Amino acid sequence: MSAVGVVGAGYVGLTTAACLAHLGHRVTCVDIDKSKVDDLGRGEVRIAEPGLPELVRAGLEGGELGFTTDLEPLRDTTVVLLCLPTPRAADGDADTRVVDAVLDRLEDLLPAGAVVVTKSTVPVGTAAAIGRRGLRAVSNPEFLREGHAVEDFLNPDRIVIGSADEAAGDAVAALYRRLVAPVVRTDPASAELAKYASNAFLATKLSYVNGLAQLCERLGADVTEVTRTMGLDARIGPDFLAPGPGWGGSCLPKDTSALLRAAAGAGVEFDVLRAAVRTNERQGERVAAAVREAVGGPLSGARVGLLGLAFKAGTGDLRDSPALAVAAKLADGGAVLTGYDPAVDPAELDGSRVQVTDDPYLVAKDAEALVVLTDWPQFRDLDWARMAALAERAVVVDTRNLLDPALLRARGFRRYGTGTRPE
Ligand SMILES: NC(=O)c1ccc[n+]([C@@H]2O[C@H](COP(=O)([O-])OP(=O)(O)OC[C@H]3O[C@@H](n4cnc5c(N)ncnc54)[C@H](O)[C@@H]3O)[C@@H](O)[C@H]2O)c1
Ligand SMILES: O=c1ccn([C@@H]2O[C@H](COP(=O)(O)OP(=O)(O)O[C@H]3O[C@H](CO)[C@@H](O)[C@H](O)[C@H]3O)[C@@H](O)[C@H]2O)c(=O)[nH]1
């Protein structure tokens, strides 16, 4: 089994490093964050990813996995995977400065013939640019979801290997040979674009559903029934059809933005994608309007309880969280906000306009409306009779259609769902 370098120990890098060690490779994982590296060296994983701490500890104990802040130990490594951040720049493009800076170092450090693999989501043309540095470049985009990182890495829908150099592509394919998945061997530009195209398609699917939900409300249809029917068509599929407060997270917003910039730069009017982004930008205002209706008056001074702050269930990640976008709209309207999320560290919202509590029942106390923003299944198990007793007005705006309408009704709640009539 080969010696592999992984640069970046975030969601993608740490998962990649731990899973490749699990698959039998010798992995050196490098991150610039010393305290994170120190924690990882002790087997302490900060992110909530099922199975990841176990794999990290097994790798450390077996000696297959090591962590360092120094790129130097990669000097003799012939395959290095870049799992570095590519956030949204001020102009909406992907900011590749971290990737570029690490490449500057690797260019001098790595042995001749070394293969540099981009697992980060990087603009089309990045592999070609790496090739011009004299390194052998392979695009190998990652499709894992937060909260399912290990499961997705070890059971991927596909493994994409984009390379102009067949032997370099073979070296990357060999890393995954123990996984059972279709392997797409293609050119680097197509591999790079396939990643953006997948995320943008998912985002578009969701904006379509969120628009549809509005239409259902106006026409007296139920979006759950409509999407259930649509999803039975194999060409559409049942996944990614749940309406909500908008799509967010560390990837969909920045990647749609970068793809729109790439399209504009190439002189392509990508109208569908532009509309999907615009629909999403307006979603927070739509939720705020529903809350205004639920409160039955101006938001100014109204106490509103928020259930869920993370961008989706199963993660404590607040990056581009639609829940925070809704909170901002409500706070702009003068609402007084209390929020609860089972995975979010309250300290992360210090100084924000949301008073974060670690007790979901405190969110209900004296509330004039409750708003479900994240699809945490445990919200279903709250004592809704107690929630009703604590609230000033028993009203729920369920942006995710998470809670059982019949149960809420039985507990005395008025419910505003998404894509359904209020009851
Ligand atoms: N999060 C996801 O679900 C996901 C899924 C697929 C692809 N991606 C893509 O993968 C890339 C990484 O995303 P992520 O979510 O893992 O990011 P992250 O922010 O969780 O992790 C990035 C890591 O890189 C480290 N880092 C920053 N600068 C460094 C440097 N100069 N040298 C070494 N380490 C450095 C940071 O300390 C951090 O630990 C992005 O391009 C993202 O778009 C993310
Ligand atoms: O039916 C649905 C499904 C999702 N969402 C929302 O869509 C957003 C994105 O969800 P998800 O895709 O599960 O989150 P990520 O973990 O960010 O994963 C996406 O972004 C990653 C980073 O590029 C990719 O690797 C994954 O394939 C891609 O699904 C979240 O706000 C969800 O709440 C809905 O509103 N309704």
Side-chain angles (χ1 to χ4, degrees):
M1 289 290 176
S2 48
V4 185
V6 172
V7 188
Y11 285 92
V12 172
L14 186 58
T15 305
T16 300
C19 288
L20 289 180
H22 172 69
L23 294 174
H25 304 288
R26 268 185 302 114
V27 183
T28 303
C29 184
V30 185
D31 199 286
I32 201 170
D33 181 337
K34 183 169 184 318
S35 82
K36 185 184 274 191
V37 166
D38 289 346
D39 280 358
L40 289 170
R42 289 190 295 268
E44 287 168 24
V45 176
R46 296 176 186 176
I47 51 177
E49 285 298 341
L52 192 54
E54 291 83 349
L55 287 188
V56 168
R57 282 174 215 140
L60 287 168
E61 276 159 30
E64 297 93 7
L65 180 59
F67 296 96
T68 168
T69 53
D70 193 1
L71 288 167
E72 184 61 32
L74 302 186
R75 183 173 281 284
D76 298 320
T77 310
T78 51
V79 179
V80 175
L81 297 96
L82 303 185
C83 305
L84 294 160
T86 50
R88 182 169 25 190
D91 63 2
D93 242 326
D95 180 345
T96 60
R97 282 176 298 179
V98 171
V99 172
D100 295 337
V102 170
L103 282 166
D104 288 344
R105 289 281 323 277
L106 293 178
E107 197 182 311
D108 300 330
L109 186 73
L110 296 182
V115 177
V116 172
V117 184
T118 46
K119 274 197 99 53
S120 294
T121 303
V122 288
V124 175
T126 302
I130 296 174
R132 287 193 293 275
R133 290 172 177 264
L135 294 160
R136 296 162 81 202
V138 176
S139 166
N140 171 221
E142 178 53 56
F143 297 90
L144 64 79
R145 295 162 300 163
E146 282 181 27
H148 302 265
V150 170
E151 172 197 344
D152 285 352
F153 189 96
L154 294 175
N155 306 285
D157 287 341
R158 71 294 212 191
I159 293 165
V160 182
I161 297 175
S163 179
D165 172 335
E166 200 178 332
D170 290 345
V172 177
L175 298 177
Y176 301 106
R177 65 174 156 249
R178 286 178 55 195
L179 299 184
V180 182
V183 177
V184 179
R185 294 287 296 256
T186 185
D187 62 278
S190 300
E192 289 163 341
L193 186 53
K195 172 65 196 179
Y196 282 104
S198 299
N199 274 359
F201 190 82
L202 292 171
T204 305
K205 198 174 181 188
L206 291 176
S207 280
Y208 181 88
V209 168
N210 285 331
L212 183 70
Q214 261 191 296
L215 190 59
C216 288
E217 285 165 25
R218 302 284 164 85
L219 299 184
D222 182 336
V223 74
T224 309
E225 297 301 299
V226 176
T227 53
R228 181 161 68 101
T229 310
M230 287 166 62
L232 288 169
D233 186 325
R235 295 168 302 176
I236 297 173
D239 298 331
F240 254 70
L241 285 179
W247 38 269
S250 70
C251 291
L252 264 46
K254 79 169 173 67
D255 292 346
T256 46
S257 170
L259 188 55
L260 278 175
R261 291 279 305 178
V268 174
E269 293 286 341
F270 208 152
D271 292 334
V272 174
L273 184 56
R274 189 169 298 285
V277 170
R278 200 167 298 145
T279 298
N280 202 50
E281 284 164 355
R282 295 202 192 114
Q283 202 62 15
E285 182 45 42
R286 291 199 190 101
V287 176
V291 176
R292 267 194 297 276
E293 198 183 329
V295 165
L299 283 176
S300 184
R303 285 181 299 279
V304 177
L306 309 178
L307 285 167
L309 299 165
F311 80 96
K312 64 171 187 177
T315 178
D317 198 340
L318 289 169
R319 289 180 286 183
D320 265 315
S321 172
L324 297 186
V326 169
K329 292 269 176 237
L330 296 176
D332 288 346
V336 179
L337 304 173
T338 307
Y340 166 78
D341 189 290
V344 168
D345 175 1
E348 282 201 55
L349 286 166
D350 274 356
S352 84
R353 293 182 287 175
V354 184
Q355 171 78 43
V356 183
T357 158
D358 57 3
D359 178 354
Y361 295 101
L362 284 182
V363 160
K365 194 167 177 315
D366 301 328
E368 288 162 69
L370 294 170
V371 191
V372 177
L373 291 167
T374 309
D375 46 342
W376 285 108
Q378 53 266 53
F379 291 159
R380 296 196 182 105
D381 303 327
L382 290 171
D383 178 347
W384 283 94
R386 188 173 162 206
M387 296 289 270
L390 285 164
E392 184 167 319
R393 297 174 68 244
V395 184
V396 175
V397 177
D398 186 357
T399 69
R400 302 271 190 175
N401 294 336
L402 180 80
L403 306 170
D404 177 9
L407 182 135
L408 287 177
R409 210 179 306 126
R411 302 290 178 267
F413 271 95
R414 184 167 169 80
R415 165 183 181 265
Y416 291 80
T418 298
T420 58
R421 290 202 150 158
E423 40 181 300

